[in-house]
Amino acid sequence: MFSKKMQDALNEQVKIEAQSSQVYLAMASWAEIQPGIDNITAFFYRHSDEERMHMLKLIHFINERGGFAVVPPLEQPHLTFPSIKHAFQELLKHEMYVSESINNCVDIALSEKDYATHNFLQWYVAEQIEEEALARTINDKLELIGDDKGGLYLLDRDILQVSVVGNGQ
Ligand code: OFO
């Protein structure tokens, strides 16, 4: 049985995924005007697209279960960042927040004995493990790189490969 409480929690998740897409889109737009980081820019654009896909998956699920998926209003994300490192720190923080919210949905599904939703949410649980791990890997690399421009060049060269490995789609 698909309860109102479950529906509301999933609609909140729709908003969070949509907001995530906006947050990463803003990072992509900022990165695009920084010199020499074309692949990091592509990474953010792709991440933004993936979040939109996560949102759509939720919308279809809610409607298929006989609920009504609400397309939410969004907040203005941060538009600029002091450095690439700061942008990736924000990305990791944001993913951790998303994971908490997914966990909250899983808690509700279990408490309501809504096993269909619980099963559906397992895809998001797995996705969050991958996304957090990927964000941590990139943050660790940036920590090592420090102010070394050569290191940043190499990260930009390799980032799409790193993210293909970590891409849970
Ligand atoms: Fe990266 O958050 Fe979606 O699920």
Side-chain angles (χ1 to χ4, degrees):
M1 137 92 181
F2 189 55
S3 71
K4 167 92 171 59
K5 185 173 176 188
M6 192 73 257
Q7 182 180 198
D8 289 348
L10 293 186
N11 267 322
E12 181 58 25
Q13 194 63 34
V14 165
K15 181 172 184 187
I16 289 173
E17 302 292 346
Q19 188 65 35
S20 301
S21 181
Q22 289 291 95
V23 166
Y24 303 144
L25 186 58
M27 287 178 183
S29 177
W30 171 80
E32 197 163 32
I33 60 162
Q34 312 305 311
I37 53 165
D38 295 357
N39 290 328
I40 290 175
T41 299
F43 170 89
F44 285 130
Y45 275 120
R46 195 167 76 186
H47 212 40
S48 171
D49 285 347
E50 281 178 20
E51 298 302 349
R52 180 175 153 76
M53 186 274 284
H54 298 173
M55 173 196 72
L56 287 173
K57 215 172 152 83
L58 276 158
I59 286 179
H60 294 314
F61 180 78
I62 295 167
N63 288 336
E64 278 161 11
R65 295 289 312 277
F68 175 53
V70 177
V71 174
L74 299 177
E75 290 155 29
Q76 173 85 71
H78 287 161
L79 298 178
T80 60
F81 305 87
S83 67
I84 292 160
K85 189 173 160 183
H86 281 86
F88 276 103
Q89 281 170 343
E90 192 168 313
L91 183 142
L92 174 58
K93 233 171 67 189
H94 191 80
E95 287 301 332
M96 288 164 69
Y97 159 69
V98 173
S99 297
E100 260 178 48
S101 157
I102 292 286
N103 288 344
N104 179 47
C105 291
V106 172
D107 279 350
I108 295 171
L110 277 178
S111 72
E112 309 248 311
K113 296 193 184 346
D114 181 347
Y115 299 115
T117 301
H118 181 265
N119 185 50
F120 167 78
L121 287 170
Q122 292 315 299
W123 184 87
Y124 288 84
V125 171
E127 181 72 9
Q128 283 313 115
I129 293 170
E130 283 196 9
E131 289 194 353
E132 276 194 38
L134 174 61
R136 284 204 179 83
T137 301
I138 296 172
N139 273 282
D140 289 348
K141 285 183 192 296
L142 281 163
E143 197 57 53
L144 280 176
I145 289 168
D147 293 330
D148 175 17
K149 290 223 169 26
L152 190 57
Y153 169 81
L154 292 176
L155 178 68
D156 187 68
R157 194 192 62 182
D158 296 342
I159 192 164
L160 291 180
Q161 259 173 314
V162 177
S163 56
V164 165
V165 173
N167 185 355
Q169 274 195 93

